[in-house]
Every structure is written in C-alpha cells, then in structure tokens.
Amino acid sequence: MQENHGHRWLRWPTDPTRARLGFGADYNPEQWPREVWDDDVRAMRAAGVNIVSLAIFSWARIQPRADAWDFAWLDEIMDLLHANGIAVDLATATASPPPWLTTAYPEILPVDREGRTLWPGGRQHWRPTSPIFREHALRLVRALAGRYGDHPALAAWHVNNELGCHNAYDYSDDAAAAFRRWLRARYGTVEALNTAWATTFWAQGYGDWAEILPPRLAASYPNPTQQLDFKRFSSDALKDHLRAERAVLRELTPDVPVTTNFMVMGETNGMHYADWAAEVDFVANDHYLVPGPQALDELSFSANLTGNIAGGRPWYLMEHSTSAVNWQPVNVPKVAGAMARDSLTHVAHGADAVCFFQWRQSAAGAEKYHSAMVPHAGTDSAVFRAVAELGARLRDLAEIAGTNRRPARAAIVFDWESWWVAEHDSHPTDRLRYRREALDWYTAFLNLGVRADVVPVTAELERYDLLVAPVLHVVPAALADRLRDYVTGGGHLVTTYFSGVVDEHDHVWLGGYPGALRDLLGIRIEEFGPLRDGQRVALDNGTTGTVWADRVDVVDPGVEVLARYTSGPPAGRVAVTRRATGRGSAAYVASRLGPTGLTAVLADLADRAGVSSELPAPLRGKVELAVRGPYRFLINRTGRTLDLAGVPGHRIDGTGTVLRPRAVAVLRDTETGPAGAPAGTTTDAPTNGYAGGPGDHREPDRLSRVSR
Ligand code: GAL
C-alpha cells in the first residue's frame, strides 16, 4: 500500500477537533453579481454546506494582465465564507491560462499527435512540460499562497484541477525535449533504450538522444515500447507539475494540506493515480456515473479503488453530480434518491467529504446545462431539497469521519500498465477492454454478496485470501515472483486471458502463453483465440464466452479442469482451470464470460478459497456491503424494498428495519460505541475527525495471514 504520503486531513478552521463529514461544491462566485453571494451563503448554511472549492478557473480574474492583480473580490468572498462558518479548499487557479498569457506565449499551447495546436477558448490549454507555463503558474501559486496562507477559512490547497483531463498527452517540442530527458534518466544509454524498445525491428535503431520523438502520427503503428514509455512519461510530467506547485505551497504554507482531484472513473486512464497518491496529503477524487447496466457497480468500483489508492484512509469526494451532466450524448437527470445513494456509496468506501460540481448552476457558458446544488429553478426545487436532506443526513453520520476501510478477504488487482498495454494497437483484437473485464469481476463479487477490495498491483497482496487479477498483461519478473510466493504461501490467485504475456518493456515471455504465469498456472497456450464480433462460445458450466477464447493445454498433472468449451472454434478444449499447490491455488479463465458467467465461476472459486459472504443469505446480491471501522453500509442494489430484520448492528440513522430502493443503511457494530472499534480489531477510532495515526487498519486475522 502507499504508506508514505503525509495523510494530513483538512485543516478545519472552526472547532477542529469535532468529527464531521465535509459537504459542499466547487463554488464559482465570479460568474455572479455580488448580491447573489449573500443568497449563496444563506442557502449554503441552510443546506449544511461546510466547505467549498474556490477559484478553480479564476486565473484571468485574479491576474487580468501580466503585471496586474485583482484580489479584492477573492478577499471579500473568503471573508464572507469564513464569517458564515464555511471552509475553503482554495485552488491554485492554474487550470485555465488567461488569454494574455497564451497570446504572449503561444508556445505554451499543447499539440496533439497529428501536430495540431489545441487553441484557447476552452480550458486546460497548456503543455505540462512548458517552462514558460510553469514559470507563470508558479508565480500565481506564490501570489495566492502569500496572500491566503494565513486566512482563517483556508482548509486545504487544491492544485490546478483534474490534472490531465484535457491535456494528458502533449506531443509538442517541449514534450519531445522532456521525453528525452525522462528516457535518459530511465535508460542511461541510447543502447539500453534501443534494447528496451527492440529497435532492430523496422530499422528504428537510434544513434543519438536527439533523434527520439514522442509517438507522433506515424505512417504505421508506432513502436509499442515507445508508446508505453510515452504513457509513463506523460503521467510523470503531470505529476511533476503537481510537485512543482506543491513545493511552493509547502515552502510558504507548510501547515496547510495539499491535494488535487483525481479522476478515478470510467475509461480515464492517462494518469497513474496509484503512483500519484503519495504526492498529496489526502487523496481527492471526482466521479461521474457511466450510464449503463453496471453504472452503480462502476461507481462502487471507482470509490473502492480510490479508497485503496488512499491506503484505506479517508479521502475527499471533490466532485460528483446532483443530477444530469452535460457532456454525455444524452444527459438524463437522476431519479429521486439516487443522489443521496451515490453520495453515501462513496462514503461507504471511505469518502469523508461529499462535494459536487458545482454550487450554483451556471446561467451561461459550456456547462450551463450541468446540474448543481442550486439548479436554474432555484432553491425552491426538488434538487435543492434533496441537497439539504443529504446535508442533514451527513451531519447525522458525523461519527463515521476518520474511520478507515476494513479490508475484505478478497481483492481485484488493478494495474495501470496492463490497462495501457493490453489496449495497444496491432494486437490479437482491438475489442478487449481492460477495465470492463475488471468491472465484470467486481459485479460478480457484488452478485455473490462477497466483499472485495479493488487494489493497485503495488498493494500488500498477501493480506488477501483470494486475489483476482483480470487481464494482468504486463508481468515483470519481480511481479511473477510475488504472485508465485503469494500462491505458495497459501493464497488463491485467479487470472484470465491475455495475462502474463509481456514484461515491463512489452517484450513477450517466450515458450507459450501465459508466459510469466505459465508454470504457476500449469497450463500452456500456443495461439491466442480472439473471437469475431457476435461470435460466442458455450462452456459446459453453462456460461458463454465472447471477445476471446484461448485454447488451453494442461501441462501440470495437478491442474483440475473446471470447464471446457462445447461450441465454437475451441469446442472440446479446456477453458477454466485450477492448479492447487499446497494450501494455495492458481486458476485461469480463458474467455470473457461477462458478469453473469463470472458470478457462476467465482462462486465456485471463492468457495474453494474459503471466502464467503458476510451478508445474511436473503440479502446476498441484493445489497452491497461496505465496511469502515465499526460501521457497515448496506446499499440497496435492487428496485425493491428489502427487509433488514435480523441484521445485527445499531442503525445509526434511525430509519427502521427496511431498505427502500436507492436507500443506504448505516449500522454500527453493537459491541462498540461511536468512538470505539469493535472488540478484537485494530480499527482506528475517530479522534479529531481524521484518524491520522499509524493507520494500520488490518484486522488481527488479516495480520496473521500476512506471515503465512
Ligand atoms: C470535471 C471538472 C469540472 C466540471 C465537471 C463537469 O471534469 O473538474 O470543472 O467541468 O467535470 O462534470
């Protein structure tokens, strides 16, 4: 786990020792006349808002010209918020450079892979590696830190905004120069780079660093290792910008925690957030629902992964939506109860602040049709009433603040590099979607009512009894060793098609697939089995495969065949295997079985691993269970009212023994009080609203399994 970040929580300006959950939004007062601000703070108080993110897109307002500064409006709103007991997560305002800057220095504008400049007029039109942008951004950060570092409203610094949301990949000359520096640091010599990039292929051998470029639009497929390194570099370049702003903030305001909002959601994958988490004092995330049948599972998956990237500690939900967004093809409002359910699902997975984009819905601009806490209709609206109800509910749940996630016995391993590489071009299929496969397994866990953590591959995997590593495509030798030790030590590993195939340079492990994991799994595959669109293969366990269907040869006598194909090209061949080794095991699923098929396969594999549901049988699959310290969250996954009679625990929100559609119940273990942990656990108790101590949130039985 990422244990080395500062894990300092918000510096609450008033009553700092009181446990509370944050509640608020991005606040853009510069879009409104001064008199609206008074209405704003009145309504914020009525809704229970206690924190807002300010000045995110205010650079042009704060610094209207290179040598002119206007802080008066920001002084006034900071004071007004403070006078009303509302804390501020103050942005460094560097997300959207002002026109005077891009006019004077057009060379800060990003360039896409086809060489097209991304012009101003939107936002985030800056190169992460531009020295000129960096200089001007840091000047602004210094000015803000100098002016507001001692302001009593200031609870945290918000670096930039969603770093990489629109400028993750820049192919400009600045990027080329920075990429070469990054490659030099990684490889030392051009010869080492040539070996890693396998440049004997297609006459790509480099003689000098100056010859190397980002993977710009090429006549055919760019070198795959160049593509992988460019992804690594691009994530690092944005991380470097985060560090540069943070260095100024730490120098001038060492007591103020620093964060930036991640985007652990959907297919956003340019930023390697597991690698970024150690850079911030607390992790913050933005999440918007991905429409579709697994929308809620995806929300839970993202919140779960965010919580584990944060090392199990509380994190900050910086943005989600009260209702519709404006950037999907069709933007449907949320139904009654959905906003609170979504918010509490994030809390269930460790969020100690629930915030929205944005406070007041814009009357103009590109986001005028995006929902907000105060909609166009005003405070006399269903949305605002639901917002105020949520504020009251979060106040009632204040005792949860500071409690850590309680680890599950099972986990899904999530690996950014496998995500990147498995979806590269010139592969057996372009239909494979890494995150979708991982999400399908998560849905299978939810369907069985078995709690599973979603953890980065760098996490302490040994603490889990059952590990599912879907499409673990990139397996360097050290990871293969870790997984072998895990299984030898009694762990149960499950992996899938296209796993173990390449090393950290995207070079194939030879001798048959799944390369690095072949011996552990006791199987061998000679050729990949991608399926055409619409092609399906039936398995004799009643499941159906799409996208991929490896033909597996069993090479180890200890391997048990759990399923075979009964139709399609691989009919009669082996599809699901499990090799038991002492107390552990390693299983392989050779096809994409989807959430329903995986539910059946996982039921058997979890059973064999001795991992079972913590829910009473009638609730399995119908509710999601998440646990923080002594608190259990039960989230209704169905459209029906469910009976909770007989579920142990004290219902801390006093809403009875049924769980209505879209409802979330919060139960405290009966053997503990609000400020204590259940007997026999080391779960942190809430102290000053954030348990920032040693933070070991493992249960004793988990601790003993570590040494197995
Ligand atoms: C986020 C962004 C916000 C707003 C929001 C709309 O990506 O940080 O500023 O644009 O999306 O959903």
Side-chain angles (χ1 to χ4, degrees):
M1 290 262 166
Q2 305 279 348
E3 300 289 12
N4 55 341
H5 51 107
H7 55 88
R8 279 188 299 167
W9 187 239
L10 295 170
R11 194 182 69 162
W12 286 111
T14 52
D15 202 1
T17 57
R18 181 161 57 86
R20 80 193 95 177
L21 297 167
F23 184 51
D26 287 10
Y27 181 37
N28 300 302
E30 66 271 39
Q31 294 178 13
W32 298 94
R34 172 63 185 83
E35 58 273 17
V36 176
W37 300 2
D38 296 311
D39 292 347
D40 282 337
V41 289
R42 253 194 309 277
M44 284 178 191
R45 291 176 64 134
V49 165
N50 54 21
I51 188 160
V52 294
S53 297
L54 198 62
I56 291 176
F57 296 108
S58 305
W59 192 343
R61 179 76 195 263
I62 294 169
Q63 192 185 8
R65 291 187 309 283
D67 52 0
W69 299 86
D70 176 7
F71 290 110
W73 69 279
L74 195 49
D75 292 350
E76 192 174 355
I77 191 66
M78 290 283 289
D79 292 349
L80 182 65
L81 289 163
H82 185 61
N84 284 276
I86 298 160
V88 174
D89 164 54
L90 185 59
T92 56
T94 55
S96 198
W100 61 260
L101 182 59
T102 50
T103 304
Y105 304 101
E107 63 269 40
I108 73 169
L109 298 171
V111 177
D112 75 3
R113 64 188 285 272
E114 297 181 27
R116 297 177 301 192
T117 297
L118 305 182
W119 295 96
R123 63 176 174 184
Q124 265 196 357
H125 38 278
W126 54 276
R127 300 178 184 178
T129 56
S130 160
I132 298 174
F133 176 79
R134 180 73 58 88
E135 182 194 325
H136 284 85
L138 296 189
R139 191 168 163 229
L140 175 62
V141 176
R142 193 166 284 280
L144 283 163
R147 189 162 188 103
Y148 298 107
D150 294 328
H151 196 285
L154 183 64
W157 289 114
H158 178 116
V159 168
N160 199 277
N161 190 63
E162 289 188 344
L163 284 159
C165 179
H166 306 289
N167 59 352
Y169 298 115
D170 165 43
Y171 298 79
S172 67
D173 289 344
D174 280 334
F179 187 36
R180 287 179 205 122
R181 282 194 298 275
W182 184 94
L183 290 166
R184 264 187 126 112
R186 183 175 178 87
Y187 294 111
T189 63
V190 176
E191 291 69 39
L193 176 138
N194 277 320
T195 305
W197 286 20
T199 55
T200 47
F201 184 82
W202 282 354
Q204 292 170 353
Y206 294 100
D208 190 277
W209 294 104
E211 297 163 5
I212 300 171
L213 292 167
R216 293 174 175 161
L217 182 66
S220 66
Y221 301 122
N223 180 303
T225 317
Q226 178 191 19
Q227 293 191 55
L228 170 58
D229 274 342
F230 188 66
K231 287 183 171 149
R232 290 172 171 146
F233 154 77
S234 297
S235 178
D236 280 0
L238 288 159
K239 186 174 77 175
D240 192 58
H241 184 83
L242 163 62
R243 283 179 170 169
E245 289 202 17
R246 189 195 60 195
V248 174
L249 297 168
R250 292 244 168 104
E251 176 200 327
L252 297 181
T253 62
D255 296 335
V256 185
V258 177
T259 194
T260 190
N261 40 351
F262 295 176
M263 292 172 283
V264 177
M265 65 174 130
E267 294 296 322
T268 304
N269 79 354
M271 287 63 66
H272 189 326
Y273 291 128
D275 173 57
W276 286 28
E279 307 293 337
V280 289
D281 287 311
F282 58 87
V283 165
N285 198 47
D286 294 353
H287 186 271
Y288 292 92
L289 282 172
V290 180
Q294 284 166 278
L296 295 180
D297 298 353
E298 195 283 328
L299 186 160
S300 171
F301 180 97
S302 294
N304 190 323
L305 177 57
T306 304
N308 285 303
I309 285 173
R313 299 187 183 89
W315 51 279
Y316 191 120
L317 177 64
M318 191 68 83
E319 290 180 26
H320 70 149
S321 70
T322 58
S323 193
V325 298
N326 67 309
W327 42 262
Q328 288 165 0
V330 178
N331 297 294
V332 178
K334 291 190 180 182
V335 297
M339 177 189 70
R341 185 259 331 267
D342 297 350
S343 300
L344 293 171
T345 303
H346 288 290
V347 174
H349 287 284
D352 264 7
V354 171
C355 294
F356 294 93
F357 177 82
Q358 61 176 326
W359 164 250
R360 185 179 284 280
Q361 186 169 9
S362 303
E367 295 184 321
K368 59 183 175 297
Y369 298 123
H370 192 295
S371 61
M373 294 173 95
V374 180
H376 286 158
T379 50
D380 182 11
S381 60
V383 166
F384 187 75
R385 282 186 282 278
V387 160
E389 261 173 45
L390 175 61
R393 179 97 191 266
L394 293 174
R395 235 182 352 251
D396 291 346
L397 294 176
E399 66 183 67
I400 290 164
T403 52
N404 291 339
R405 297 171 55 80
R406 193 173 323 164
R409 293 185 57 201
I412 292 174
V413 177
F414 194 82
D415 177 35
W416 260 261
E417 297 210 343
S418 290
W419 192 2
W420 290 339
V421 179
E423 297 185 13
H424 271 174
D425 55 44
S426 58
H427 272 195
T429 177
D430 68 1
R431 301 297 199 253
L432 185 155
R433 288 293 169 273
Y434 174 84
R435 203 178 194 260
R436 214 180 287 161
E437 180 66 34
L439 177 60
D440 287 352
W441 282 95
Y442 192 69
T443 295
F445 274 111
L446 290 171
N447 288 347
L448 296 170
V450 174
R451 216 154 52 85
D453 292 344
V454 185
V455 298
V457 71
T458 46
E460 190 187 323
L461 304 179
E462 295 74 18
R463 70 164 35 154
Y464 296 101
D465 295 310
L466 173 62
L467 270 189
V468 178
V471 191
L472 189 64
H473 183 66
V474 180
V475 180
L479 177 55
D481 289 347
R482 277 176 73 204
L483 294 174
R484 193 200 49 233
D485 291 349
Y486 169 76
V487 169
T488 315
H492 298 276
L493 174 71
V494 181
T495 189
T496 74
Y497 60 94
F498 218 33
S499 292
V501 176
V502 297
D503 67 9
E504 65 273 33
H505 301 308
D506 196 16
H507 293 195
V508 171
W509 290 105
L510 300 178
Y513 317 119
L517 303 176
R518 195 173 57 228
D519 293 344
L520 187 59
L521 293 159
I523 61 170
R524 185 165 176 270
I525 295 159
E526 291 186 22
E527 285 193 282
F528 295 123
L531 298 175
R532 295 185 201 289
D533 287 351
Q535 200 177 5
R536 295 169 168 270
V537 291
L539 277 66
D540 62 6
N541 61 1
T543 65
T544 304
T546 59
V547 177
W548 198 287
D550 283 327
R551 297 134 178 84
V552 174
D553 288 320
V554 169
V555 295
D556 183 295
V559 170
E560 188 182 350
V561 174
L562 300 185
R564 287 177 186 273
Y565 302 103
T566 58
S567 75
R573 304 290 300 265
V574 171
V576 182
T577 61
R578 182 177 184 272
R579 173 171 173 257
T581 52
R583 288 180 301 125
S585 70
Y588 189 77
V589 180
S591 186
R592 176 164 191 232
L593 302 182
T596 310
L598 291 180
T599 304
V601 168
L602 183 62
D604 179 38
L605 293 172
D607 196 43
R608 287 163 184 256
V611 173
S612 51
S613 175
E614 298 156 84
L615 286 165
L619 294 181
R620 291 180 192 164
K622 300 193 178 83
V623 308
E624 174 184 352
L625 170 70
V627 189
R628 292 184 62 174
Y631 302 99
R632 286 165 200 276
F633 292 72
L634 300 179
I635 304 159
N636 194 338
R637 299 178 74 220
T638 74
R640 297 189 301 282
T641 296
L642 304 172
D643 186 2
L644 295 187
V647 176
H650 170 68
R651 186 95 182 243
I652 64 171
D653 45 4
T655 43
T657 58
V658 294
L659 195 63
R660 297 189 194 291
R662 294 182 287 283
V664 179
V666 188
L667 305 164
R668 188 177 57 230
D669 286 355
T670 30
E671 62 272 35
T672 183
T681 76
T682 57
T683 305
D684 295 333
T687 49
N688 59 351
Y690 179 66
D696 191 333
H697 55 288
R698 290 175 297 195
E699 293 177 66
D701 63 334
R702 298 272 77 71
L703 284 168
S704 64
R705 277 168 222 269
V706 171
S707 53
R708 104 188 119 189

